[in-house]
Amino acid sequence: DPEAETALFWHIPKSGGTTAKRLYQCMGQTLAHRVGADPKFGHDKESDIEPHGHKDWKVVNVDTTIKAGIIRAKKLGLVQSHTTDLIFTMEPNFAGQQLYDEENKGRFLALFRHPVDRALSMFFYLQTATWERTYRPEWANMTVMEWAELPNAEEDYMVHKLVGKPFGEKVDEMDLIIAKELVRQRFIVGLMVEMNESIRRFNIVLGVDEESERSGQCMEEFGLVSTKEEIPAETEEGDGKRALKEQRAHATDKKNSNKHPKFEKGSPEFDSIASRNSLDVHLYEYIETLFDAQKEILDSYLEEEGEPEAQHDDPQADESAKLALLPPGAAVKAITNPREIRNSLADVNAPFGDRKSETPFFWHVPKSGGTTLQRLYWCMGSTIANEVGANPKFGVENGELSPFKAFNPWKDNPGKVVNVDICTHEGILQAKNRGFLTNPGQPHVDFVSTSEFQFASMMLFSPDRKARMFALFRHPIDRAVSKFFYLQKATWEPTYNERWAQMSLEEWASRDRGDNNWMVRNLIGKGMRDALNTEDLDLAKEIVRTKFVVGIMDRFEESVHRFNILLGVDESDPKNQQCIEEFSSNGGDAHSHRNKEQIIKKNVFNSYSHPEAERGSTAWVSLSKIHMYDNMLYRYIVQLFNEQRAMFISTPKVV
């Protein structure tokens, strides 16, 4: 809803941003950028946000391209004023943190260009652009190779800007992963070599009516009228195709283009610049895949309400669509290497208890007893870091600059939480940026708990500060059936699915609902649209075998005993014994047919009565096929559970 959001455009130099700014200015959009605070207009000292301008364009009186201007815009309440259609900035990390809040969110847009082409354009432009503050006359007689050998403070420009690191500070592979994730989560991406399509998508998000006379005239003036022109099929991928794409892109940038020589991949000039911007090159290649992936979801915005194509069976996809800071593209998995992740996880056979070098990490597999398990440990007075500590209803600050705090959010419960949210990618990134688990003087944490195995492992842990993994597992079909009946009625859940409410189990189980083989995919980092094979299954098995203390929901009490040993819980303590007995009798929904509590309102166990799929029934057979790899993984986990008994059988209870 453009009326409820304020879009922010990250203006990457020499990437088509000036064209976008002039286009939307032409269309009559109210913009925030450098011009609005120019003293010559006389509005730069006013104490309120004041739109002003010409009959054909309008700006607000703040300069959002620089940090000082962003701080002023924040003080004046730029986003909260809802006076601006589009904010332009060159500081995406800083602007995102300073200008927006929970009640006033925004969509992030950006045009991206290949880093080598962008750098070359900047080099040739600043040779002659005497009107620019950054004009470099000393470059005028240099060759590209001579210039490429000079120290360059702005190498890997995009990664630096996204993660908020100053240019004097080196960026690395971890920063690249964070940059990819920020773009995936927050940005509707455009490509300069696909300017027509990129602007079309931005118009959808901004609510621009391309059919209006004014918009049509502006689109035509900037060369953006759709001509259905395609690159001829006979044009080979490579020099010709890339040159044609560049030509088409620059044709849209008539007012801010500088013609200059082109250098193709493989040339000394291209490769020299690419090697000095290797992280940006990798990021750009990822953005290209994201651009392709976002098309279908953005096009769905245009479909009329109620059309089948506009509906999603995956409740998580529904939730992503509701979040302003998770635009289309949120369904695209972050790119990580599960073999690298394992370096940040403690070996299962390594001795327990070295809390200086490791932190227990409970992988919360949904509808597998995880909620019950956490409430058990809160009952015993444990401090758990999950999402609860960031809940606004408890009134504890958890912003970027907030100190870490362990606190008790409930009466008559000794359990504590930490003011972080490590159950979402955004929350994990914020926790990492605050130094969670690494900064000295932090409150004690008994364990962290999240379903985000891959991302939390990569962001919060390292070979020097490892995660000690443990998890409760449940038969995938039982888990799927429990989820179905729960999300039919659990209106308090963000993933509640109204469309499932009238379905029978057989109807729902007849096809994949966007959650197939959840465990294997999350262990190895594959997205829901990626094909799985036996190699993926073998890798998932290997990760569980070497890194996890496994528990089984049907063997809840024995699983808890093993976890207690891992966590150093004193089982001889009367209070702990009482908690174990109380929560083990429930079993975390392991025997749902025995539960008497209906799914009417949320209960403390998150466990409810519902029918089960009978083995051999139509629903069971269908779900077995849909979750084939998870079924095979679960059978292996049951075997592993029996094998791991030897690790604990001779271990006395902790006193």
Side-chain angles (χ1 to χ4, degrees), residues 366-395:
K367 304 308 296 178
S368 298
T371 300
T372 298
L373 189 82
Q374 291 177 90
R375 292 187 178 277
L376 161 63
Y377 283 107
W378 276 322
C379 176
M380 294 192 287
S382 295
T383 299
I384 304 174
N386 51 15
E387 80 283 12
V388 175
N391 193 319
K393 72 180 182 181
F394 297 124

PDB file of all heavy atoms in Angstrom, residues 366-395:
ATOM      1  N   PRO A 366       9.475 -26.635  13.836  1.00  0.00           N
ATOM      2  CA  PRO A 366       8.091 -26.302  14.187  1.00  0.00           C
ATOM      3  C   PRO A 366       7.216 -27.533  14.416  1.00  0.00           C
ATOM      4  O   PRO A 366       7.358 -28.556  13.742  1.00  0.00           O
ATOM      5  CB  PRO A 366       7.600 -25.496  12.970  1.00  0.00           C
ATOM      6  CG  PRO A 366       8.849 -24.923  12.375  1.00  0.00           C
ATOM      7  CD  PRO A 366       9.903 -25.962  12.596  1.00  0.00           C
ATOM      8  N   LYS A 367       6.319 -27.421  15.385  1.00  0.00           N
ATOM      9  CA  LYS A 367       5.353 -28.462  15.735  1.00  0.00           C
ATOM     10  C   LYS A 367       6.028 -29.783  16.079  1.00  0.00           C
ATOM     11  O   LYS A 367       5.551 -30.864  15.721  1.00  0.00           O
ATOM     12  CB  LYS A 367       4.327 -28.671  14.615  1.00  0.00           C
ATOM     13  CG  LYS A 367       3.574 -27.412  14.203  1.00  0.00           C
ATOM     14  CD  LYS A 367       2.943 -26.687  15.380  1.00  0.00           C
ATOM     15  CE  LYS A 367       1.870 -27.501  16.071  1.00  0.00           C
ATOM     16  NZ  LYS A 367       1.301 -26.781  17.250  1.00  0.00           N
ATOM     17  N   SER A 368       7.149 -29.681  16.785  1.00  0.00           N
ATOM     18  CA  SER A 368       7.896 -30.885  17.185  1.00  0.00           C
ATOM     19  C   SER A 368       8.242 -30.874  18.663  1.00  0.00           C
ATOM     20  O   SER A 368       9.203 -31.517  19.085  1.00  0.00           O
ATOM     21  CB  SER A 368       9.174 -31.013  16.346  1.00  0.00           C
ATOM     22  OG  SER A 368       8.880 -31.161  14.978  1.00  0.00           O
ATOM     23  N   GLY A 369       7.492 -30.109  19.454  1.00  0.00           N
ATOM     24  CA  GLY A 369       7.724 -30.080  20.892  1.00  0.00           C
ATOM     25  C   GLY A 369       8.659 -28.987  21.360  1.00  0.00           C
ATOM     26  O   GLY A 369       8.977 -28.919  22.549  1.00  0.00           O
ATOM     27  N   GLY A 370       9.078 -28.113  20.452  1.00  0.00           N
ATOM     28  CA  GLY A 370      10.035 -27.081  20.824  1.00  0.00           C
ATOM     29  C   GLY A 370       9.504 -26.070  21.813  1.00  0.00           C
ATOM     30  O   GLY A 370      10.209 -25.637  22.723  1.00  0.00           O
ATOM     31  N   THR A 371       8.245 -25.681  21.660  1.00  0.00           N
ATOM     32  CA  THR A 371       7.649 -24.726  22.594  1.00  0.00           C
ATOM     33  C   THR A 371       7.547 -25.323  23.989  1.00  0.00           C
ATOM     34  O   THR A 371       7.856 -24.670  24.998  1.00  0.00           O
ATOM     35  CB  THR A 371       6.265 -24.289  22.097  1.00  0.00           C
ATOM     36  OG1 THR A 371       6.393 -23.672  20.812  1.00  0.00           O
ATOM     37  CG2 THR A 371       5.629 -23.302  23.063  1.00  0.00           C
ATOM     38  N   THR A 372       7.124 -26.573  24.059  1.00  0.00           N
ATOM     39  CA  THR A 372       7.055 -27.257  25.349  1.00  0.00           C
ATOM     40  C   THR A 372       8.430 -27.337  25.988  1.00  0.00           C
ATOM     41  O   THR A 372       8.588 -27.101  27.199  1.00  0.00           O
ATOM     42  CB  THR A 372       6.482 -28.672  25.168  1.00  0.00           C
ATOM     43  OG1 THR A 372       5.153 -28.577  24.658  1.00  0.00           O
ATOM     44  CG2 THR A 372       6.460 -29.428  26.494  1.00  0.00           C
ATOM     45  N   LEU A 373       9.438 -27.667  25.187  1.00  0.00           N
ATOM     46  CA  LEU A 373      10.793 -27.794  25.728  1.00  0.00           C
ATOM     47  C   LEU A 373      11.289 -26.468  26.302  1.00  0.00           C
ATOM     48  O   LEU A 373      11.863 -26.425  27.397  1.00  0.00           O
ATOM     49  CB  LEU A 373      11.746 -28.285  24.636  1.00  0.00           C
ATOM     50  CG  LEU A 373      13.139 -28.645  25.156  1.00  0.00           C
ATOM     51  CD1 LEU A 373      13.148 -30.051  25.738  1.00  0.00           C
ATOM     52  CD2 LEU A 373      14.186 -28.538  24.051  1.00  0.00           C
ATOM     53  N   GLN A 374      11.059 -25.377  25.605  1.00  0.00           N
ATOM     54  CA  GLN A 374      11.510 -24.076  26.107  1.00  0.00           C
ATOM     55  C   GLN A 374      10.784 -23.715  27.400  1.00  0.00           C
ATOM     56  O   GLN A 374      11.402 -23.195  28.333  1.00  0.00           O
ATOM     57  CB  GLN A 374      11.274 -23.011  25.032  1.00  0.00           C
ATOM     58  CG  GLN A 374      12.195 -23.166  23.826  1.00  0.00           C
ATOM     59  CD  GLN A 374      11.893 -22.157  22.738  1.00  0.00           C
ATOM     60  OE1 GLN A 374      12.460 -21.065  22.725  1.00  0.00           O
ATOM     61  NE2 GLN A 374      10.999 -22.504  21.834  1.00  0.00           N
ATOM     62  N   ARG A 375       9.489 -24.009  27.474  1.00  0.00           N
ATOM     63  CA  ARG A 375       8.748 -23.705  28.701  1.00  0.00           C
ATOM     64  C   ARG A 375       9.223 -24.574  29.864  1.00  0.00           C
ATOM     65  O   ARG A 375       9.209 -24.145  31.012  1.00  0.00           O
ATOM     66  CB  ARG A 375       7.244 -23.879  28.453  1.00  0.00           C
ATOM     67  CG  ARG A 375       6.689 -22.826  27.504  1.00  0.00           C
ATOM     68  CD  ARG A 375       5.178 -22.899  27.387  1.00  0.00           C
ATOM     69  NE  ARG A 375       4.665 -21.847  26.514  1.00  0.00           N
ATOM     70  CZ  ARG A 375       4.426 -20.599  26.900  1.00  0.00           C
ATOM     71  NH1 ARG A 375       4.648 -20.245  28.149  1.00  0.00           N
ATOM     72  NH2 ARG A 375       3.967 -19.716  26.039  1.00  0.00           N
ATOM     73  N   LEU A 376       9.652 -25.781  29.555  1.00  0.00           N
ATOM     74  CA  LEU A 376      10.237 -26.643  30.583  1.00  0.00           C
ATOM     75  C   LEU A 376      11.475 -25.981  31.168  1.00  0.00           C
ATOM     76  O   LEU A 376      11.640 -25.901  32.401  1.00  0.00           O
ATOM     77  CB  LEU A 376      10.583 -28.005  29.982  1.00  0.00           C
ATOM     78  CG  LEU A 376      11.593 -28.864  30.769  1.00  0.00           C
ATOM     79  CD1 LEU A 376      11.048 -29.226  32.146  1.00  0.00           C
ATOM     80  CD2 LEU A 376      11.930 -30.134  29.981  1.00  0.00           C
ATOM     81  N   TYR A 377      12.359 -25.479  30.308  1.00  0.00           N
ATOM     82  CA  TYR A 377      13.602 -24.885  30.816  1.00  0.00           C
ATOM     83  C   TYR A 377      13.362 -23.527  31.462  1.00  0.00           C
ATOM     84  O   TYR A 377      14.089 -23.139  32.383  1.00  0.00           O
ATOM     85  CB  TYR A 377      14.643 -24.830  29.697  1.00  0.00           C
ATOM     86  CG  TYR A 377      15.244 -26.197  29.452  1.00  0.00           C
ATOM     87  CD1 TYR A 377      14.915 -26.939  28.328  1.00  0.00           C
ATOM     88  CD2 TYR A 377      16.094 -26.767  30.385  1.00  0.00           C
ATOM     89  CE1 TYR A 377      15.435 -28.211  28.126  1.00  0.00           C
ATOM     90  CE2 TYR A 377      16.623 -28.035  30.206  1.00  0.00           C
ATOM     91  CZ  TYR A 377      16.287 -28.756  29.075  1.00  0.00           C
ATOM     92  OH  TYR A 377      16.800 -30.022  28.903  1.00  0.00           O
ATOM     93  N   TRP A 378      12.348 -22.795  31.019  1.00  0.00           N
ATOM     94  CA  TRP A 378      11.986 -21.582  31.754  1.00  0.00           C
ATOM     95  C   TRP A 378      11.479 -21.944  33.149  1.00  0.00           C
ATOM     96  O   TRP A 378      11.774 -21.246  34.120  1.00  0.00           O
ATOM     97  CB  TRP A 378      10.916 -20.804  30.992  1.00  0.00           C
ATOM     98  CG  TRP A 378      11.472 -19.901  29.928  1.00  0.00           C
ATOM     99  CD1 TRP A 378      12.620 -19.165  29.992  1.00  0.00           C
ATOM    100  CD2 TRP A 378      10.898 -19.633  28.648  1.00  0.00           C
ATOM    101  NE1 TRP A 378      12.803 -18.458  28.832  1.00  0.00           N
ATOM    102  CE2 TRP A 378      11.753 -18.723  27.989  1.00  0.00           C
ATOM    103  CE3 TRP A 378       9.749 -20.066  27.996  1.00  0.00           C
ATOM    104  CZ2 TRP A 378      11.485 -18.241  26.703  1.00  0.00           C
ATOM    105  CZ3 TRP A 378       9.481 -19.587  26.726  1.00  0.00           C
ATOM    106  CH2 TRP A 378      10.346 -18.689  26.089  1.00  0.00           C
ATOM    107  N   CYS A 379      10.724 -23.008  33.238  1.00  0.00           N
ATOM    108  CA  CYS A 379      10.242 -23.479  34.540  1.00  0.00           C
ATOM    109  C   CYS A 379      11.412 -23.746  35.485  1.00  0.00           C
ATOM    110  O   CYS A 379      11.322 -23.508  36.694  1.00  0.00           O
ATOM    111  CB  CYS A 379       9.403 -24.742  34.355  1.00  0.00           C
ATOM    112  SG  CYS A 379       8.822 -25.515  35.879  1.00  0.00           S
ATOM    113  N   MET A 380      12.534 -24.226  34.924  1.00  0.00           N
ATOM    114  CA  MET A 380      13.721 -24.529  35.735  1.00  0.00           C
ATOM    115  C   MET A 380      14.631 -23.311  35.909  1.00  0.00           C
ATOM    116  O   MET A 380      15.722 -23.429  36.465  1.00  0.00           O
ATOM    117  CB  MET A 380      14.488 -25.690  35.101  1.00  0.00           C
ATOM    118  CG  MET A 380      13.714 -27.001  35.140  1.00  0.00           C
ATOM    119  SD  MET A 380      14.704 -28.470  34.719  1.00  0.00           S
ATOM    120  CE  MET A 380      14.899 -28.281  32.967  1.00  0.00           C
ATOM    121  N   GLY A 381      14.190 -22.141  35.421  1.00  0.00           N
ATOM    122  CA  GLY A 381      14.948 -20.911  35.644  1.00  0.00           C
ATOM    123  C   GLY A 381      15.996 -20.606  34.600  1.00  0.00           C
ATOM    124  O   GLY A 381      16.869 -19.755  34.833  1.00  0.00           O
ATOM    125  N   SER A 382      15.935 -21.240  33.434  1.00  0.00           N
ATOM    126  CA  SER A 382      16.932 -21.009  32.390  1.00  0.00           C
ATOM    127  C   SER A 382      16.724 -19.655  31.713  1.00  0.00           C
ATOM    128  O   SER A 382      15.620 -19.104  31.692  1.00  0.00           O
ATOM    129  CB  SER A 382      16.860 -22.114  31.331  1.00  0.00           C
ATOM    130  OG  SER A 382      17.207 -23.366  31.885  1.00  0.00           O
ATOM    131  N   THR A 383      17.815 -19.136  31.146  1.00  0.00           N
ATOM    132  CA  THR A 383      17.770 -17.929  30.328  1.00  0.00           C
ATOM    133  C   THR A 383      17.903 -18.340  28.867  1.00  0.00           C
ATOM    134  O   THR A 383      18.907 -18.945  28.474  1.00  0.00           O
ATOM    135  CB  THR A 383      18.905 -16.961  30.694  1.00  0.00           C
ATOM    136  OG1 THR A 383      18.767 -16.575  32.064  1.00  0.00           O
ATOM    137  CG2 THR A 383      18.862 -15.719  29.815  1.00  0.00           C
ATOM    138  N   ILE A 384      16.888 -18.027  28.076  1.00  0.00           N
ATOM    139  CA  ILE A 384      16.842 -18.451  26.679  1.00  0.00           C
ATOM    140  C   ILE A 384      16.772 -17.219  25.784  1.00  0.00           C
ATOM    141  O   ILE A 384      16.010 -16.285  26.052  1.00  0.00           O
ATOM    142  CB  ILE A 384      15.616 -19.357  26.409  1.00  0.00           C
ATOM    143  CG1 ILE A 384      15.628 -20.562  27.359  1.00  0.00           C
ATOM    144  CG2 ILE A 384      15.588 -19.818  24.950  1.00  0.00           C
ATOM    145  CD1 ILE A 384      14.373 -21.421  27.260  1.00  0.00           C
ATOM    146  N   ALA A 385      17.551 -17.235  24.723  1.00  0.00           N
ATOM    147  CA  ALA A 385      17.484 -16.179  23.712  1.00  0.00           C
ATOM    148  C   ALA A 385      16.716 -16.719  22.514  1.00  0.00           C
ATOM    149  O   ALA A 385      17.185 -17.624  21.828  1.00  0.00           O
ATOM    150  CB  ALA A 385      18.885 -15.740  23.292  1.00  0.00           C
ATOM    151  N   ASN A 386      15.510 -16.186  22.294  1.00  0.00           N
ATOM    152  CA  ASN A 386      14.730 -16.550  21.113  1.00  0.00           C
ATOM    153  C   ASN A 386      14.111 -15.269  20.565  1.00  0.00           C
ATOM    154  O   ASN A 386      14.845 -14.337  20.262  1.00  0.00           O
ATOM    155  CB  ASN A 386      13.704 -17.636  21.426  1.00  0.00           C
ATOM    156  CG  ASN A 386      12.843 -17.327  22.638  1.00  0.00           C
ATOM    157  OD1 ASN A 386      12.785 -16.198  23.126  1.00  0.00           O
ATOM    158  ND2 ASN A 386      12.138 -18.324  23.132  1.00  0.00           N
ATOM    159  N   GLU A 387      12.789 -15.191  20.435  1.00  0.00           N
ATOM    160  CA  GLU A 387      12.163 -13.952  19.970  1.00  0.00           C
ATOM    161  C   GLU A 387      11.408 -13.228  21.075  1.00  0.00           C
ATOM    162  O   GLU A 387      11.031 -12.062  20.910  1.00  0.00           O
ATOM    163  CB  GLU A 387      11.204 -14.242  18.805  1.00  0.00           C
ATOM    164  CG  GLU A 387       9.833 -14.768  19.184  1.00  0.00           C
ATOM    165  CD  GLU A 387       9.813 -16.242  19.569  1.00  0.00           C
ATOM    166  OE1 GLU A 387      10.903 -16.827  19.762  1.00  0.00           O
ATOM    167  OE2 GLU A 387       8.720 -16.817  19.690  1.00  0.00           O
ATOM    168  N   VAL A 388      11.205 -13.878  22.219  1.00  0.00           N
ATOM    169  CA  VAL A 388      10.324 -13.337  23.253  1.00  0.00           C
ATOM    170  C   VAL A 388      10.874 -12.037  23.839  1.00  0.00           C
ATOM    171  O   VAL A 388      10.128 -11.087  24.096  1.00  0.00           O
ATOM    172  CB  VAL A 388      10.103 -14.381  24.372  1.00  0.00           C
ATOM    173  CG1 VAL A 388       9.284 -13.781  25.511  1.00  0.00           C
ATOM    174  CG2 VAL A 388       9.408 -15.614  23.809  1.00  0.00           C
ATOM    175  N   GLY A 389      12.173 -11.956  24.014  1.00  0.00           N
ATOM    176  CA  GLY A 389      12.765 -10.784  24.650  1.00  0.00           C
ATOM    177  C   GLY A 389      12.638  -9.507  23.857  1.00  0.00           C
ATOM    178  O   GLY A 389      12.841  -8.411  24.396  1.00  0.00           O
ATOM    179  N   ALA A 390      12.294  -9.624  22.548  1.00  0.00           N
ATOM    180  CA  ALA A 390      12.130  -8.429  21.720  1.00  0.00           C
ATOM    181  C   ALA A 390      10.664  -8.034  21.573  1.00  0.00           C
ATOM    182  O   ALA A 390      10.356  -7.093  20.837  1.00  0.00           O
ATOM    183  CB  ALA A 390      12.749  -8.669  20.340  1.00  0.00           C
ATOM    184  N   ASN A 391       9.776  -8.725  22.272  1.00  0.00           N
ATOM    185  CA  ASN A 391       8.354  -8.407  22.180  1.00  0.00           C
ATOM    186  C   ASN A 391       8.085  -7.041  22.821  1.00  0.00           C
ATOM    187  O   ASN A 391       8.404  -6.831  23.995  1.00  0.00           O
ATOM    188  CB  ASN A 391       7.531  -9.486  22.884  1.00  0.00           C
ATOM    189  CG  ASN A 391       6.051  -9.383  22.570  1.00  0.00           C
ATOM    190  OD1 ASN A 391       5.483  -8.293  22.521  1.00  0.00           O
ATOM    191  ND2 ASN A 391       5.414 -10.523  22.375  1.00  0.00           N
ATOM    192  N   PRO A 392       7.517  -6.101  22.060  1.00  0.00           N
ATOM    193  CA  PRO A 392       7.311  -4.747  22.600  1.00  0.00           C
ATOM    194  C   PRO A 392       6.471  -4.708  23.865  1.00  0.00           C
ATOM    195  O   PRO A 392       6.588  -3.764  24.654  1.00  0.00           O
ATOM    196  CB  PRO A 392       6.598  -4.016  21.448  1.00  0.00           C
ATOM    197  CG  PRO A 392       6.902  -4.804  20.223  1.00  0.00           C
ATOM    198  CD  PRO A 392       7.041  -6.224  20.669  1.00  0.00           C
ATOM    199  N   LYS A 393       5.608  -5.714  24.085  1.00  0.00           N
ATOM    200  CA  LYS A 393       4.720  -5.654  25.250  1.00  0.00           C
ATOM    201  C   LYS A 393       5.474  -5.720  26.561  1.00  0.00           C
ATOM    202  O   LYS A 393       4.937  -5.345  27.607  1.00  0.00           O
ATOM    203  CB  LYS A 393       3.682  -6.766  25.179  1.00  0.00           C
ATOM    204  CG  LYS A 393       4.199  -8.169  25.446  1.00  0.00           C
ATOM    205  CD  LYS A 393       3.074  -9.188  25.355  1.00  0.00           C
ATOM    206  CE  LYS A 393       3.548 -10.603  25.664  1.00  0.00           C
ATOM    207  NZ  LYS A 393       2.443 -11.586  25.545  1.00  0.00           N
ATOM    208  N   PHE A 394       6.739  -6.177  26.524  1.00  0.00           N
ATOM    209  CA  PHE A 394       7.521  -6.253  27.761  1.00  0.00           C
ATOM    210  C   PHE A 394       8.277  -4.956  28.043  1.00  0.00           C
ATOM    211  O   PHE A 394       8.871  -4.794  29.111  1.00  0.00           O
ATOM    212  CB  PHE A 394       8.488  -7.425  27.715  1.00  0.00           C
ATOM    213  CG  PHE A 394       7.793  -8.768  27.632  1.00  0.00           C
ATOM    214  CD1 PHE A 394       8.069  -9.643  26.601  1.00  0.00           C
ATOM    215  CD2 PHE A 394       6.858  -9.146  28.576  1.00  0.00           C
ATOM    216  CE1 PHE A 394       7.430 -10.864  26.508  1.00  0.00           C
ATOM    217  CE2 PHE A 394       6.207 -10.361  28.495  1.00  0.00           C
ATOM    218  CZ  PHE A 394       6.491 -11.228  27.461  1.00  0.00           C
ATOM    219  N   GLY A 395       8.305  -4.041  27.074  1.00  0.00           N
ATOM    220  CA  GLY A 395       8.853  -2.709  27.308  1.00  0.00           C
ATOM    221  C   GLY A 395      10.354  -2.629  27.475  1.00  0.00           C
ATOM    222  O   GLY A 395      10.856  -1.654  28.045  1.00  0.00           O
TER     223      GLY A 395
END
